[in-house]
Amino acid sequence: MLTAAEAASLSGVDVVGSDGAAVGRVRDVYLMDRDRSIAALGVTRGRLSTTTVLVPAAVVLEETLRPHSGEYEHTAPIRLSVPARSARAAEEPPATGHLSPEDLRRAELALLPTGSEEAPQG
């Protein structure tokens, strides 16, 4: 689990798909209420884009969430277990800024392979 400072440090970090192609940059970090772990990332698809997609933690390679140098400085992108094209086509986050368990589950089902057991139950 990341600390609050580590979670806050994710803002602006590049996100890439499993194919190495760019998805965008972290805009928002959604935390689970019960344990403050990361539930999902809001990723802005381009520098000038206002489109943000919801990337559930189930498709984020956890080891890439931690800084690679310095206490809270990311020098490498966050990597996903799905191709960039799939992540860029993901659902938009809710307008309220609050992610319900249903929102998270829907986002996970949209990105995880059919029949996958990887998605956490919510």
Side-chain angles (χ1 to χ4, degrees):
M1 179 171 60
L2 298 178
T3 66
E6 288 171 324
S9 76
L10 296 175
S11 182
V13 174
D14 292 327
V15 177
V16 298
S18 59
D19 53 3
V23 175
R25 291 177 181 241
V26 175
R27 177 175 180 217
D28 301 301
V29 178
Y30 295 88
L31 301 176
M32 299 293 279
D33 289 336
R34 69 176 174 266
D35 65 2
R36 308 303 290 165
S37 63
I38 292 178
L41 301 173
V43 178
T44 302
R45 294 188 337 183
R47 288 186 191 268
L48 301 177
S49 175
T50 59
T51 303
T52 301
V53 294
L54 186 63
V55 177
V59 300
V60 175
L61 300 179
E62 187 174 343
E63 65 272 10
T64 66
L65 289 173
R66 300 234 180 252
H68 292 271
S69 70
E71 191 172 345
Y72 298 114
E73 181 183 341
H74 286 267
T75 58
I78 294 170
R79 295 193 165 278
L80 307 179
S81 62
V82 297
R85 188 169 82 177
S86 296
R88 286 191 300 262
E91 294 186 25
E92 290 188 27
T96 62
H98 176 76
L99 186 62
S100 73
E102 295 80 24
D103 294 330
L104 180 58
R105 185 70 178 150
R106 202 171 31 257
E108 290 170 346
L109 290 174
L111 286 178
L112 291 172
T114 304
S116 174
E117 296 298 323
E118 296 178 40
Q121 300 297 316

